[in-house]
């Protein structure tokens, strides 16, 4: 993850992972689950004033891959919607990421990388230090964009490049989001989590939580840049809610002062987490 700004508190990175589906599952407040169409998202003006990222660019190969995956995702989502209207209650469908608590205050990115990878290959316990080295994570966290890592043909998106390096053929692509995600952005995210979960892959989400905006379960009302692994969706609501793994879950309060109430695994409205990722995005 990218660390919290110094004025906001101490965090750094975050990530999730663990076969900790055994941990209690928390649920976000549904009152924050939607933003009326046409209105700025809570916290969007803050992000517009404080963002220092600059322009982002997909490579031609990423654009072509994203278009092909989008067509597949639309088909996956229609199948999920059809299933959701059969009256059979199936609950959550998970790709099954294996949770790890981040080992430093700024290693949410490395933890998210190993958790997201484990959702597909079911290998737990990978080194966060090796993941941090690959991602070029530093005390400021793991970048969303602008860092070329040591892989063939880096694209500037370290998490996407690291996942494709570790999972050949996975075809991960980044999806940037505006400060106020649109109705189309929210619909696309539902399609993307359905597609990835149905194909046994998780999504790596880059959250940007700000004062006054929606937050992940258990997170305080401060500015936090954070990586999490999104590894499933509620089939009964056609991905209206998703499951994610938070690397802050299980971290000692001596490492992250506010970690105590943060669960390892939580449910949240898909619209809410899309809004939280506004200004950054996710890798799917």
């Amino acid at each position: 993850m990218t660390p919290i700004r110094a004025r906001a508190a101490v965090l750094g990175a975050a990530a999730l992972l663990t076969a900790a589906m055994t941990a209690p599952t928390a649920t976000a407040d549904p009152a924050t689950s939607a933003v009326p169409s046409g209105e700025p998202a809570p916290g969007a003006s803050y992000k517009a004033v404080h963002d220092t990222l600059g322009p982002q660019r997909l490579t031609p190969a990423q654009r072509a891959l994203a278009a092909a995956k989008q067509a597949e995702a639309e088909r996956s989502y229609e199948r999920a919607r059809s299933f959701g209207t059969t009256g059979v209650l199936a609950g959550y469908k998970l790709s099954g990421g294996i949770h790890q608590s981040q080992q430093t205050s700024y290693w949410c990115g490395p933890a998210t990388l190993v958790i997201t990878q484990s959702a597909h290959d079911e290998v737990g316990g990978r080194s966060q230090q090796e993941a941090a080295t690959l991602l070029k994570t530093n005390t400021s966290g793991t970048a969303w964009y602008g860092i070329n890592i040591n892989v063939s043909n880096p694209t500037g998106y370290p998490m996407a490049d690291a996942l494709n390096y570790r999972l050949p053929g996975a075809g991960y692509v980044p999806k940037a989001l505006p400060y106020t995600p649109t109705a189309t952005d929210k619909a696309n995210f539902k399609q993307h989590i359905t597609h990835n979960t149905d194909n046994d892959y998780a999504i790596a989400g880059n959250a940007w939580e700000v004062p006054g905006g929606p937050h992940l379960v258990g997170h305080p009302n401060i500015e936090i840049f954070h990586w999490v692994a999104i590894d499933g969706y509620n089939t009964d609501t056609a991905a209206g809610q998703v499951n994610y793994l938070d690397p802050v879950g299980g971290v000692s309060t001596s490492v992250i002062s506010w970690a105590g109430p943060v669960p390892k695994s939580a449910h949240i409205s898909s619209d809410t987490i899309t809004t939280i990722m506004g200004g950054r995005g996710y890798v799917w």
Side-chain angles (χ1 to χ4, degrees), residues 2-25:
T2 311
I4 316 179
R5 296 182 193 276
R7 63 178 174 278
V10 179
L11 169 60
L16 22 165
L17 182 51
T18 289
M21 287 300 136
T22 55
T25 295

Side-chain angles (χ1 to χ4, degrees), residues 15-257:
L16 22 165
L17 182 51
T18 289
M21 287 300 136
T22 55
T25 295
T27 303
D29 182 351
T32 63
S33 65
V35 175
S37 178
E39 296 182 17
S45 59
Y46 179 99
K47 293 181 179 183
V49 169
H50 293 91
D51 199 359
T52 59
L53 182 60
Q56 306 162 53
R57 295 178 180 83
L58 296 177
T59 67
Q62 284 175 325
R63 289 196 296 271
L65 179 57
K69 289 188 71 174
Q70 180 60 42
E72 295 176 5
E74 290 171 4
R75 292 192 291 270
S76 292
Y77 188 64
E78 286 310 307
R79 288 194 296 271
R81 280 174 48 125
S82 297
F83 187 80
T85 60
T86 62
V88 178
L89 298 179
Y92 275 84
K93 183 174 184 179
L94 305 176
S95 52
I98 303 171
H99 183 271
Q100 284 190 27
S101 300
Q102 62 192 72
Q103 294 169 354
T104 75
S105 64
Y106 53 91
W107 273 10
C108 64
T112 293
L113 173 59
V114 296
I115 295 169
T116 303
Q117 181 181 355
S118 73
H120 184 70
D121 65 18
E122 300 179 355
V123 177
R126 285 191 173 92
S127 166
Q128 290 184 30
Q129 177 63 74
E130 291 179 4
T133 299
L134 175 61
L135 290 166
K136 294 190 175 180
T137 300
N138 57 30
T139 55
S140 294
T142 300
W144 161 250
Y145 178 71
I147 299 294
N148 283 329
I149 65 173
N150 296 323
V151 298
S152 299
N153 303 312
T155 67
Y157 291 92
M159 186 64 73
D161 289 345
L163 284 166
N164 287 327
Y165 173 75
R166 290 188 161 200
L167 293 171
Y172 273 97
V173 290
K175 172 62 177 176
L177 293 169
Y179 304 133
T180 299
T182 65
T184 298
D185 291 322
K186 294 174 182 179
N188 285 343
F189 175 73
K190 293 182 180 74
Q191 295 168 349
H192 297 168
I193 187 58
T194 300
H195 171 274
N196 275 39
T197 304
D198 289 354
N199 287 281
D200 198 31
Y201 289 98
I203 283 176
N206 195 193
W208 185 1
E209 303 169 277
V210 298
H215 282 68
L216 298 171
V217 178
H219 287 214
N221 187 31
I222 59 175
E223 183 176 38
I224 305 168
F225 289 98
H226 187 54
W227 284 97
V228 299
I230 308 162
D231 79 328
Y233 66 95
N234 188 325
T235 62
D236 303 325
T237 62
Q241 291 86 34
V242 296
N243 189 81
Y244 70 93
L245 301 173
D246 192 331
V248 170
V251 172
S252 169
T253 55
S254 66
V255 177
I256 297 175
S257 62

